[in-house]
Amino acid sequence: MNSILLRGGRVIDPASARDGQYDLLVRDSEIAAVERAGTRMNLDDASLVDASGCWIVPGLIDPHVHLRDPGFPEKETILTGLRAAAAGGFTTVAAMANTSPVNDRPAITRYMLERAEEAHCTRLAPVSAVTHGLGGIEPVDFASMVDAGARLFSDDGIPIDDAGVLSRALDETMRLGYAVALHEEDRALSCGGAVNAGAVATHLGVSGYAHSAEPHRVRRDLAIAIGSGAAVHVAHVSTAESLELIRAARQRGAQVTCEVTPHHFTLDESAALTWGPNAKMNPPLRNRDDVEALHAAIRDGTFDMIATDHAPHDPKSKRMEQLGAFFGPGRQAGHLERDAAELFAHAANGVVGLETSLGLALGLVHRSLIEPARLVEMMSLNPAALLRLEAGTLAVGAVADITVIDPNLEWTVAPEKFLSKSRNTPFAGMRLKGRAVLTIVAGEIVFDGRKA
Protein backbone atom coordinates (compact mmCIF):
# COMPACT_ATOMS: atom_id res chain seq x y z
CA MET A 1 0.00 0.00 0.00
CA ASN A 2 1.46 3.37 -1.11
CA SER A 3 1.33 6.00 1.66
CA ILE A 4 2.61 9.58 1.82
CA LEU A 5 2.49 11.89 4.82
CA LEU A 6 2.61 15.59 3.97
CA ARG A 7 3.67 17.12 7.25
CA GLY A 8 3.26 20.66 8.53
CA GLY A 9 2.01 22.46 5.46
CA ARG A 10 -0.75 25.01 5.13
CA VAL A 11 -3.75 23.06 3.85
CA ILE A 12 -6.04 25.29 1.78
CA ASP A 13 -9.25 23.52 0.81
CA PRO A 14 -12.19 25.86 0.15
CA ALA A 15 -14.57 22.94 -0.46
CA SER A 16 -14.03 21.81 3.14
CA ALA A 17 -13.68 25.35 4.55
CA ARG A 18 -10.23 24.35 5.79
CA ASP A 19 -7.25 26.72 5.90
CA GLY A 20 -4.49 26.10 8.43
CA GLN A 21 -1.50 24.01 9.45
CA TYR A 22 -2.28 20.32 9.00
CA ASP A 23 -0.69 16.97 8.37
CA LEU A 24 -2.26 15.15 5.44
CA LEU A 25 -1.99 11.39 4.98
CA VAL A 26 -2.39 9.75 1.60
CA ARG A 27 -3.02 6.02 1.64
CA ASP A 28 -3.04 4.20 -1.66
CA SER A 29 -4.95 6.55 -4.01
CA GLU A 30 -7.10 8.39 -1.45
CA ILE A 31 -6.80 11.03 1.22
CA ALA A 32 -6.88 9.00 4.43
CA ALA A 33 -6.62 11.71 7.10
CA VAL A 34 -6.26 15.46 7.57
CA GLU A 35 -5.27 16.30 11.13
CA ARG A 36 -3.92 19.33 12.93
CA ALA A 37 -0.15 19.53 12.51
CA GLY A 38 1.64 17.37 15.07
CA THR A 39 -1.26 14.99 15.66
CA ARG A 40 -0.13 11.37 16.05
CA MET A 41 -1.25 9.30 13.08
CA ASN A 42 -0.96 5.68 12.02
CA LEU A 43 1.71 6.16 9.35
CA ASP A 44 1.75 2.65 7.89
CA ASP A 45 5.36 3.18 6.80
CA ALA A 46 4.38 6.30 4.88
CA SER A 47 6.95 8.31 2.95
CA LEU A 48 7.44 11.57 4.82
CA VAL A 49 7.34 14.91 3.01
CA ASP A 50 8.23 18.04 4.95
CA ALA A 51 5.72 20.58 3.66
CA SER A 52 6.57 23.34 6.12
CA GLY A 53 6.44 26.72 4.44
CA CYS A 54 4.35 25.28 1.63
CA TRP A 55 0.69 25.20 0.71
CA ILE A 56 -1.07 21.86 0.27
CA VAL A 57 -3.99 22.37 -2.09
CA PRO A 58 -6.38 20.25 -4.16
CA GLY A 59 -4.73 19.33 -7.44
CA LEU A 60 -4.81 22.22 -9.89
CA ILE A 61 -7.12 21.82 -12.89
CA ASP A 62 -6.69 23.66 -16.17
CA PRO A 63 -9.99 23.89 -18.08
CA HIS A 64 -8.42 25.00 -21.37
CA VAL A 65 -5.31 23.57 -23.02
CA HIS A 66 -4.26 22.56 -26.53
CA LEU A 67 -2.14 19.40 -26.61
CA ARG A 68 -1.94 19.17 -30.44
CA ASP A 69 -2.25 15.39 -30.35
CA PRO A 70 -3.25 13.81 -32.65
CA GLY A 71 -1.85 15.70 -35.59
CA PHE A 72 0.92 18.11 -34.64
CA PRO A 73 3.77 16.27 -32.89
CA GLU A 74 6.25 19.03 -33.76
CA LYS A 75 4.28 21.35 -31.44
CA GLU A 76 3.26 19.04 -28.59
CA THR A 77 2.22 15.49 -27.80
CA ILE A 78 -0.05 14.22 -25.08
CA LEU A 79 3.04 12.87 -23.29
CA THR A 80 5.02 16.14 -23.38
CA GLY A 81 1.94 18.23 -22.63
CA LEU A 82 0.99 16.20 -19.58
CA ARG A 83 4.56 16.28 -18.29
CA ALA A 84 4.56 20.07 -18.68
CA ALA A 85 1.22 20.18 -16.86
CA ALA A 86 2.59 18.16 -13.95
CA ALA A 87 5.58 20.50 -13.71
CA GLY A 88 3.13 23.39 -13.52
CA GLY A 89 1.24 21.77 -10.65
CA PHE A 90 -1.75 20.54 -12.67
CA THR A 91 -3.30 17.18 -11.89
CA THR A 92 -5.95 17.45 -14.63
CA VAL A 93 -6.09 19.38 -17.90
CA ALA A 94 -8.97 19.72 -20.35
CA ALA A 95 -7.65 19.15 -23.87
CA MET A 96 -9.40 21.07 -26.63
CA ALA A 97 -10.70 19.46 -29.79
CA ASN A 98 -8.75 21.31 -32.51
CA THR A 99 -6.51 18.37 -33.25
CA SER A 100 -6.05 16.62 -36.60
CA PRO A 101 -8.30 14.75 -36.93
CA VAL A 102 -10.63 16.84 -34.82
CA ASN A 103 -11.93 15.26 -31.62
CA ASP A 104 -15.46 14.99 -32.98
CA ARG A 105 -16.00 11.22 -32.68
CA PRO A 106 -15.55 8.66 -29.92
CA ALA A 107 -12.51 6.99 -31.49
CA ILE A 108 -10.47 10.18 -31.15
CA THR A 109 -11.61 10.70 -27.57
CA ARG A 110 -10.58 7.14 -26.74
CA TYR A 111 -7.21 7.65 -28.44
CA MET A 112 -6.53 10.71 -26.28
CA LEU A 113 -7.47 8.90 -23.09
CA GLU A 114 -5.31 5.90 -24.00
CA ARG A 115 -2.26 8.09 -24.65
CA ALA A 116 -2.86 9.86 -21.34
CA GLU A 117 -3.07 6.53 -19.53
CA GLU A 118 0.24 5.50 -21.07
CA ALA A 119 1.84 8.77 -19.92
CA HIS A 120 1.06 7.87 -16.29
CA CYS A 121 1.12 11.52 -15.34
CA THR A 122 -1.43 14.32 -15.19
CA ARG A 123 -5.01 13.34 -16.02
CA LEU A 124 -6.57 14.35 -19.35
CA ALA A 125 -10.20 15.46 -19.58
CA PRO A 126 -11.19 15.38 -23.27
CA VAL A 127 -13.11 18.31 -24.73
CA SER A 128 -15.34 17.30 -27.63
CA ALA A 129 -15.98 19.52 -30.59
CA VAL A 130 -19.49 20.94 -30.84
CA THR A 131 -19.61 20.50 -34.62
CA HIS A 132 -17.96 18.02 -36.95
CA GLY A 133 -14.59 19.23 -38.17
CA LEU A 134 -15.15 22.48 -36.24
CA GLY A 135 -17.13 23.49 -39.30
CA GLY A 136 -19.97 25.12 -37.39
CA ILE A 137 -22.65 23.24 -39.31
CA GLU A 138 -23.24 19.61 -38.30
CA PRO A 139 -23.41 18.91 -34.54
CA VAL A 140 -21.52 15.94 -33.12
CA ASP A 141 -23.29 13.01 -31.49
CA PHE A 142 -23.18 14.53 -28.02
CA ALA A 143 -24.32 11.43 -26.13
CA SER A 144 -21.73 9.17 -27.76
CA MET A 145 -18.97 11.68 -27.00
CA VAL A 146 -19.99 11.75 -23.33
CA ASP A 147 -20.02 7.97 -23.26
CA ALA A 148 -16.47 7.99 -24.68
CA GLY A 149 -15.27 10.33 -21.92
CA ALA A 150 -15.81 13.92 -23.06
CA ARG A 151 -16.23 16.36 -20.13
CA LEU A 152 -16.95 19.59 -22.02
CA PHE A 153 -17.91 20.71 -25.53
CA SER A 154 -16.20 23.47 -27.52
CA ASP A 155 -15.20 24.49 -31.02
CA ASP A 156 -12.54 26.65 -29.33
CA GLY A 157 -10.49 28.74 -31.69
CA ILE A 158 -13.49 29.04 -33.99
CA PRO A 159 -16.76 30.78 -33.05
CA ILE A 160 -20.08 29.08 -33.76
CA ASP A 161 -21.49 31.60 -36.20
CA ASP A 162 -24.86 29.94 -36.81
CA ALA A 163 -27.12 30.85 -33.89
CA GLY A 164 -29.44 27.96 -34.67
CA VAL A 165 -26.60 25.43 -34.47
CA LEU A 166 -25.53 26.86 -31.12
CA SER A 167 -29.08 26.85 -29.78
CA ARG A 168 -29.57 23.19 -30.68
CA ALA A 169 -26.20 22.29 -29.17
CA LEU A 170 -27.10 24.01 -25.90
CA ASP A 171 -30.40 22.15 -25.72
CA GLU A 172 -28.64 18.81 -26.18
CA THR A 173 -25.78 19.45 -23.76
CA MET A 174 -28.23 20.71 -21.14
CA ARG A 175 -30.17 17.45 -21.46
CA LEU A 176 -26.92 15.53 -20.86
CA GLY A 177 -25.79 17.75 -18.00
CA TYR A 178 -22.66 19.25 -19.59
CA ALA A 179 -21.52 22.73 -20.59
CA VAL A 180 -20.40 24.37 -23.83
CA ALA A 181 -17.30 26.57 -23.81
CA LEU A 182 -17.46 29.44 -26.28
CA HIS A 183 -14.76 31.21 -28.26
CA GLU A 184 -16.39 34.62 -28.58
CA GLU A 185 -15.45 36.38 -31.79
CA ASP A 186 -17.48 38.09 -34.47
CA ARG A 187 -15.27 37.36 -37.47
CA ALA A 188 -16.89 40.08 -39.54
CA LEU A 189 -15.44 42.52 -37.00
CA SER A 190 -12.13 40.86 -36.10
CA CYS A 191 -11.22 40.46 -39.78
CA GLY A 192 -8.23 38.26 -38.96
CA GLY A 193 -6.48 41.08 -37.12
CA ALA A 194 -2.96 40.42 -35.85
CA VAL A 195 -3.07 42.48 -32.64
CA ASN A 196 -5.59 44.66 -30.83
CA ALA A 197 -6.71 47.54 -33.02
CA GLY A 198 -5.05 50.72 -31.81
CA ALA A 199 -1.70 52.41 -31.37
CA VAL A 200 0.40 49.22 -31.29
CA ALA A 201 -1.14 47.86 -34.48
CA THR A 202 -0.56 51.23 -36.16
CA HIS A 203 3.04 51.42 -34.91
CA LEU A 204 3.87 47.94 -36.23
CA GLY A 205 1.93 48.42 -39.44
CA VAL A 206 -0.11 45.25 -38.92
CA SER A 207 -3.84 44.63 -39.17
CA GLY A 208 -5.94 45.46 -36.12
CA TYR A 209 -8.39 43.14 -34.36
CA ALA A 210 -11.46 45.20 -33.46
CA HIS A 211 -12.09 45.55 -29.73
CA SER A 212 -15.83 45.09 -30.33
CA ALA A 213 -15.50 41.63 -31.94
CA GLU A 214 -15.57 39.82 -28.59
CA PRO A 215 -18.40 41.61 -26.73
CA HIS A 216 -20.56 41.69 -29.85
CA ARG A 217 -20.60 37.89 -29.94
CA VAL A 218 -20.80 37.56 -26.14
CA ARG A 219 -24.03 39.58 -26.22
CA ARG A 220 -25.63 37.28 -28.80
CA ASP A 221 -24.53 34.02 -27.21
CA LEU A 222 -25.59 34.97 -23.68
CA ALA A 223 -29.02 35.92 -24.99
CA ILE A 224 -29.29 32.41 -26.45
CA ALA A 225 -28.08 30.91 -23.17
CA ILE A 226 -30.65 32.85 -21.14
CA GLY A 227 -33.39 31.60 -23.43
CA SER A 228 -32.30 27.97 -23.20
CA GLY A 229 -31.28 27.81 -19.55
CA ALA A 230 -28.19 25.84 -20.59
CA ALA A 231 -24.76 26.06 -18.99
CA VAL A 232 -22.25 28.04 -21.03
CA HIS A 233 -18.64 28.94 -20.33
CA VAL A 234 -17.02 32.00 -21.88
CA ALA A 235 -13.40 31.26 -22.69
CA HIS A 236 -10.46 33.69 -22.37
CA VAL A 237 -12.44 36.87 -21.66
CA SER A 238 -10.33 39.89 -22.57
CA THR A 239 -12.47 43.07 -22.53
CA ALA A 240 -14.27 45.17 -19.96
CA GLU A 241 -17.43 45.18 -22.08
CA SER A 242 -17.58 41.39 -22.12
CA LEU A 243 -17.40 41.33 -18.34
CA GLU A 244 -20.28 43.76 -18.01
CA LEU A 245 -22.37 41.59 -20.31
CA ILE A 246 -21.58 38.49 -18.25
CA ARG A 247 -22.55 40.25 -15.02
CA ALA A 248 -25.82 41.44 -16.56
CA ALA A 249 -26.63 37.98 -17.92
CA ARG A 250 -26.13 36.42 -14.50
CA GLN A 251 -28.57 38.89 -13.03
CA ARG A 252 -31.07 37.66 -15.62
CA GLY A 253 -30.51 34.04 -14.59
CA ALA A 254 -27.96 32.86 -17.14
CA GLN A 255 -25.96 29.78 -16.17
CA VAL A 256 -22.67 31.29 -17.30
CA THR A 257 -19.11 30.85 -16.06
CA CYS A 258 -16.02 32.50 -17.44
CA GLU A 259 -12.24 32.27 -17.40
CA VAL A 260 -9.25 34.59 -17.60
CA THR A 261 -5.75 33.72 -18.81
CA PRO A 262 -2.48 34.73 -17.15
CA HIS A 263 -1.27 36.41 -20.33
CA HIS A 264 -4.37 38.60 -20.51
CA PHE A 265 -4.20 39.71 -16.86
CA THR A 266 -0.42 40.16 -16.88
CA LEU A 267 0.35 41.82 -20.22
CA ASP A 268 -1.19 44.49 -22.41
CA GLU A 269 -0.95 45.03 -26.16
CA SER A 270 2.44 46.73 -25.88
CA ALA A 271 4.04 43.32 -25.24
CA ALA A 272 3.75 42.67 -28.98
CA LEU A 273 6.36 45.38 -29.58
CA THR A 274 8.94 43.32 -27.69
CA TRP A 275 7.84 39.73 -28.20
CA GLY A 276 6.25 39.96 -31.63
CA PRO A 277 4.57 36.70 -32.70
CA ASN A 278 5.18 35.21 -29.25
CA ALA A 279 2.72 37.80 -27.90
CA LYS A 280 0.16 37.15 -30.66
CA MET A 281 -2.97 35.26 -29.67
CA ASN A 282 -6.74 35.21 -30.17
CA PRO A 283 -8.26 37.13 -28.49
CA PRO A 284 -5.32 39.53 -28.59
CA LEU A 285 -3.71 41.27 -25.67
CA ARG A 286 -5.80 44.34 -24.94
CA ASN A 287 -5.19 47.87 -23.66
CA ARG A 288 -4.26 48.83 -20.12
CA ASP A 289 -7.85 49.77 -19.21
CA ASP A 290 -9.01 46.28 -20.12
CA VAL A 291 -6.23 44.72 -18.03
CA GLU A 292 -7.39 46.76 -15.05
CA ALA A 293 -10.96 45.59 -15.68
CA LEU A 294 -9.75 41.99 -15.65
CA HIS A 295 -8.04 42.61 -12.30
CA ALA A 296 -11.25 44.07 -10.88
CA ALA A 297 -13.24 41.07 -12.11
CA ILE A 298 -10.75 38.69 -10.50
CA ARG A 299 -11.14 40.58 -7.21
CA ASP A 300 -14.93 40.78 -7.23
CA GLY A 301 -15.55 37.16 -8.22
CA THR A 302 -16.83 37.72 -11.75
CA PHE A 303 -14.16 35.38 -13.04
CA ASP A 304 -14.76 31.81 -11.98
CA MET A 305 -11.43 30.38 -13.02
CA ILE A 306 -7.96 30.86 -14.43
CA ALA A 307 -7.11 28.92 -17.60
CA THR A 308 -3.79 28.80 -19.41
CA ASP A 309 -5.11 28.40 -22.97
CA HIS A 310 -1.77 26.59 -23.40
CA ALA A 311 -1.16 26.84 -27.16
CA PRO A 312 2.20 25.36 -28.18
CA HIS A 313 3.67 26.26 -31.58
CA ASP A 314 6.94 25.53 -33.32
CA PRO A 315 9.13 28.44 -34.55
CA LYS A 316 8.08 27.85 -38.16
CA SER A 317 4.40 28.32 -37.31
CA LYS A 318 5.26 31.50 -35.44
CA ARG A 319 7.36 32.77 -38.40
CA MET A 320 10.22 33.33 -35.98
CA GLU A 321 12.90 32.49 -38.53
CA GLN A 322 11.90 35.54 -40.56
CA LEU A 323 10.65 37.82 -37.77
CA GLY A 324 12.86 36.95 -34.81
CA ALA A 325 15.42 39.61 -35.67
CA PHE A 326 12.84 42.39 -35.22
CA PHE A 327 11.85 41.44 -31.68
CA GLY A 328 13.41 40.43 -28.39
CA PRO A 329 13.96 41.36 -24.75
CA GLY A 330 15.26 44.84 -24.15
CA ARG A 331 14.11 46.30 -27.44
CA GLN A 332 10.94 47.34 -29.27
CA ALA A 333 10.22 46.79 -32.92
CA GLY A 334 9.61 49.69 -35.23
CA HIS A 335 7.27 49.87 -38.21
CA LEU A 336 7.42 46.63 -40.18
CA GLU A 337 7.79 46.59 -43.93
CA ARG A 338 4.87 45.16 -45.86
CA ASP A 339 6.33 41.66 -46.27
CA ALA A 340 7.21 41.43 -42.57
CA ALA A 341 3.76 42.70 -41.58
CA GLU A 342 2.18 40.00 -43.75
CA LEU A 343 4.30 37.33 -42.08
CA PHE A 344 3.26 38.66 -38.67
CA ALA A 345 -0.41 38.51 -39.67
CA HIS A 346 -0.05 34.86 -40.67
CA ALA A 347 1.92 33.75 -37.61
CA ALA A 348 0.06 31.21 -35.50
CA ASN A 349 -1.92 32.48 -32.52
CA GLY A 350 -1.17 31.41 -28.96
CA VAL A 351 1.39 31.06 -26.20
CA VAL A 352 2.45 28.20 -23.94
CA GLY A 353 1.29 28.53 -20.36
CA LEU A 354 1.25 25.31 -18.35
CA GLU A 355 4.63 25.90 -16.71
CA THR A 356 4.19 29.63 -16.00
CA SER A 357 0.50 29.91 -15.08
CA LEU A 358 0.81 29.23 -11.36
CA GLY A 359 3.74 31.60 -10.89
CA LEU A 360 1.87 34.38 -12.67
CA ALA A 361 -1.35 33.67 -10.77
CA LEU A 362 0.48 33.74 -7.44
CA GLY A 363 1.45 37.29 -8.32
CA LEU A 364 -2.23 38.16 -7.74
CA VAL A 365 -1.88 36.86 -4.19
CA HIS A 366 1.44 38.57 -3.54
CA ARG A 367 -0.06 41.87 -4.72
CA SER A 368 -3.07 41.30 -2.41
CA LEU A 369 -5.61 41.26 -5.25
CA ILE A 370 -6.96 37.94 -3.96
CA GLU A 371 -6.54 35.60 -1.00
CA PRO A 372 -4.92 32.17 -1.36
CA ALA A 373 -8.28 30.40 -0.95
CA ARG A 374 -9.71 32.36 -3.86
CA LEU A 375 -6.75 31.27 -6.00
CA VAL A 376 -7.50 27.64 -5.13
CA GLU A 377 -11.15 28.11 -6.05
CA MET A 378 -10.15 29.55 -9.43
CA MET A 379 -7.51 26.93 -10.21
CA SER A 380 -9.07 23.78 -8.77
CA LEU A 381 -12.56 23.80 -7.27
CA ASN A 382 -14.38 25.77 -9.97
CA PRO A 383 -12.69 24.08 -12.96
CA ALA A 384 -13.64 20.72 -11.43
CA ALA A 385 -17.28 21.84 -11.38
CA LEU A 386 -17.14 23.01 -15.01
CA LEU A 387 -15.74 19.65 -16.14
CA ARG A 388 -18.17 17.67 -13.97
CA LEU A 389 -15.29 16.03 -12.09
CA GLU A 390 -15.28 14.64 -8.58
CA ALA A 391 -12.18 16.64 -7.74
CA GLY A 392 -11.10 19.98 -6.31
CA THR A 393 -11.15 18.93 -2.65
CA LEU A 394 -8.89 17.45 0.03
CA ALA A 395 -11.74 15.89 1.99
CA VAL A 396 -11.07 12.52 3.60
CA GLY A 397 -11.99 9.81 1.11
CA ALA A 398 -11.40 11.99 -1.92
CA VAL A 399 -9.01 10.88 -4.64
CA ALA A 400 -5.50 12.04 -3.71
CA ASP A 401 -4.89 14.62 -6.45
CA ILE A 402 -2.74 17.17 -4.63
CA THR A 403 -0.47 20.10 -5.47
CA VAL A 404 2.18 21.29 -3.04
CA ILE A 405 3.17 24.91 -3.64
CA ASP A 406 6.08 26.91 -2.30
CA PRO A 407 4.52 30.40 -2.52
CA ASN A 408 7.81 32.17 -1.88
CA LEU A 409 10.15 30.26 -4.19
CA GLU A 410 11.67 32.77 -6.59
CA TRP A 411 12.60 31.62 -10.07
CA THR A 412 13.22 32.91 -13.57
CA VAL A 413 11.24 31.74 -16.59
CA ALA A 414 13.69 29.83 -18.80
CA PRO A 415 11.90 28.46 -21.90
CA GLU A 416 14.82 26.17 -22.73
CA LYS A 417 13.99 24.25 -19.55
CA PHE A 418 10.30 23.77 -20.37
CA LEU A 419 9.03 20.19 -20.51
CA SER A 420 6.64 21.31 -23.23
CA LYS A 421 7.95 20.82 -26.75
CA SER A 422 7.35 24.47 -27.56
CA ARG A 423 8.94 27.71 -26.37
CA ASN A 424 6.51 30.37 -27.59
CA THR A 425 6.24 32.54 -24.49
CA PRO A 426 6.28 36.29 -23.81
CA PHE A 427 7.50 35.64 -20.25
CA ALA A 428 11.08 34.55 -20.97
CA GLY A 429 13.42 36.00 -18.36
CA MET A 430 10.59 37.17 -16.09
CA ARG A 431 11.22 36.74 -12.37
CA LEU A 432 8.32 35.00 -10.62
CA LYS A 433 7.57 34.18 -7.00
CA GLY A 434 5.91 30.87 -6.20
CA ARG A 435 5.95 27.47 -7.85
CA ALA A 436 4.63 23.91 -7.57
CA VAL A 437 7.20 21.68 -5.89
CA LEU A 438 5.20 18.45 -5.78
CA THR A 439 2.35 17.15 -7.93
CA ILE A 440 0.49 14.04 -6.80
CA VAL A 441 -2.06 12.19 -8.93
CA ALA A 442 -4.10 9.37 -7.40
CA GLY A 443 -1.59 9.12 -4.57
CA GLU A 444 1.50 8.92 -6.77
CA ILE A 445 4.11 11.65 -7.19
CA VAL A 446 4.21 12.59 -10.88
CA PHE A 447 6.41 15.67 -10.50
CA ASP A 448 8.97 16.42 -7.81
CA GLY A 449 10.44 19.91 -8.11
CA ARG A 450 12.55 19.34 -5.02
CA LYS A 451 14.87 17.28 -7.20
CA ALA A 452 15.31 20.01 -9.80
Side-chain angles (χ1 to χ4, degrees):
M1 183 175 290
N2 181 39
S3 297
I4 303 171
L5 178 63
L6 301 172
R7 176 173 284 168
R10 178 182 175 183
V11 171
I12 306 173
D13 182 18
S16 301
R18 181 178 281 125
D19 187 344
Q21 301 301 122
Y22 291 87
D23 296 337
L24 186 148
L25 178 64
V26 173
R27 183 177 293 125
D28 201 9
S29 62
E30 294 185 352
I31 296 170
V34 184
E35 303 287 350
R36 285 288 179 184
T39 302
R40 294 177 64 88
M41 279 196 259
N42 180 9
L43 300 184
D44 289 334
D45 298 321
S47 300
L48 298 179
V49 174
D50 182 4
S52 57
C54 293
W55 300 348
I56 303 170
V57 307
L60 303 185
I61 299 172
D62 189 338
H64 188 159
V65 306
H66 301 269
L67 296 185
R68 310 301 189 202
D69 187 357
F72 306 97
E74 72 280 9
K75 300 174 186 286
E76 196 78 283
T77 65
I78 286 173
L79 176 62
T80 60
L82 295 185
R83 286 176 175 171
F90 293 98
T91 58
T92 301
V93 296
M96 289 292 160
N98 59 340
T99 50
S100 181
V102 170
N103 184 23
D104 57 8
R105 58 187 188 274
I108 304 303
T109 302
R110 289 193 290 267
Y111 163 85
M112 295 170 72
L113 288 170
E114 288 166 4
R115 296 293 82 76
E117 184 70 21
E118 292 169 359
H120 199 70
C121 192
T122 292
R123 302 177 191 273
L124 186 152
V127 178
S128 167
V130 174
T131 63
H132 281 286
L134 307 179
I137 298 173
E138 182 186 359
V140 300
D141 184 333
F142 296 100
S144 69
M145 294 303 287
V146 168
D147 289 343
R151 312 302 302 182
L152 183 68
F153 292 88
S154 183
D155 277 2
D156 183 66
I158 303 176
I160 300 173
D161 292 327
D162 189 316
V165 170
L166 177 58
S167 181
R168 290 191 294 274
L170 292 181
D171 288 343
E172 184 65 13
T173 54
M174 181 174 64
R175 184 181 67 81
L176 294 168
Y178 289 82
V180 173
L182 299 169
H183 172 95
E184 299 290 35
E185 175 189 356
D186 187 318
R187 289 185 283 188
L189 295 174
S190 62
C191 299
V195 298
N196 189 50
V200 172
T202 300
H203 176 89
L204 289 174
V206 300
S207 54
Y209 184 122
H211 194 270
S212 59
E214 177 182 288
H216 190 271
R217 182 53 59 86
V218 169
R219 181 180 291 105
R220 187 205 74 172
D221 288 354
L222 292 186
I224 294 172
I226 291 169
S228 70
V232 297
H233 178 72
V234 183
H236 41 50
V237 176
S238 67
T239 72
E241 289 88 345
S242 295
L243 289 164
E244 288 304 317
L245 290 166
I246 290 167
R247 292 182 180 110
R250 285 175 176 166
Q251 290 178 350
R252 295 177 59 192
Q255 303 299 306
V256 55
T257 56
C258 61
E259 72 189 29
V260 63
T261 73
H263 45 273
H264 283 113
F265 69 64
T266 302
L267 304 173
D268 63 29
E269 59 191 339
S270 66
L273 298 173
T274 296
W275 297 105
N278 282 338
K280 179 176 182 284
M281 67 280 295
N282 185 5
L285 298 173
R286 302 295 189 176
N287 60 47
R288 179 47 52 180
D289 287 343
D290 284 311
V291 175
E292 291 302 320
L294 300 186
H295 290 169
I298 291 169
R299 284 194 302 267
D300 69 20
T302 301
F303 278 118
D304 302 277
M305 57 201 81
I306 292 171
T308 66
D309 193 6
H310 176 77
H313 288 294
D314 59 294
K316 182 178 179 181
S317 298
K318 278 291 190 179
R319 308 295 197 267
M320 290 306 293
E321 293 176 1
Q322 302 98 324
L323 296 174
F326 297 103
F327 303 95
R331 65 180 189 271
Q332 290 192 338
H335 190 82
L336 300 176
E337 297 295 334
R338 181 175 179 178
D339 288 349
E342 283 292 316
L343 285 168
F344 192 109
H346 290 97
N349 286 314
V351 300
V352 289
L354 285 169
E355 294 168 80
T356 54
S357 176
L358 178 58
L360 293 165
L362 282 165
L364 302 171
V365 176
H366 292 308
R367 298 199 305 273
S368 299
L369 268 72
I370 57 173
E371 294 296 321
R374 167 83 167 123
L375 182 73
V376 176
E377 288 178 352
M378 296 182 76
M379 297 190 74
S380 183
L381 182 60
N382 293 345
L386 172 69
L387 299 171
R388 307 329 191 226
L389 300 173
E390 293 183 4
T393 179
L394 297 177
V396 173
V399 173
D401 288 358
I402 303 167
T403 305
V404 180
I405 300 167
D406 183 340
N408 296 310
L409 178 62
E410 295 189 3
W411 59 288
T412 301
V413 177
E416 67 275 10
K417 296 182 180 179
F418 285 168
L419 297 186
S420 170
K421 270 195 170 186
S422 293
R423 308 284 181 261
N424 51 304
T425 177
F427 300 114
M430 182 176 286
R431 192 75 175 160
L432 299 178
K433 185 178 180 182
R435 196 170 194 176
V437 294
L438 207 65
T439 307
I440 299 171
V441 175
E444 294 190 26
I445 295 173
V446 297
F447 171 77
D448 190 346
R450 302 170 303 170
K451 299 176 180 179

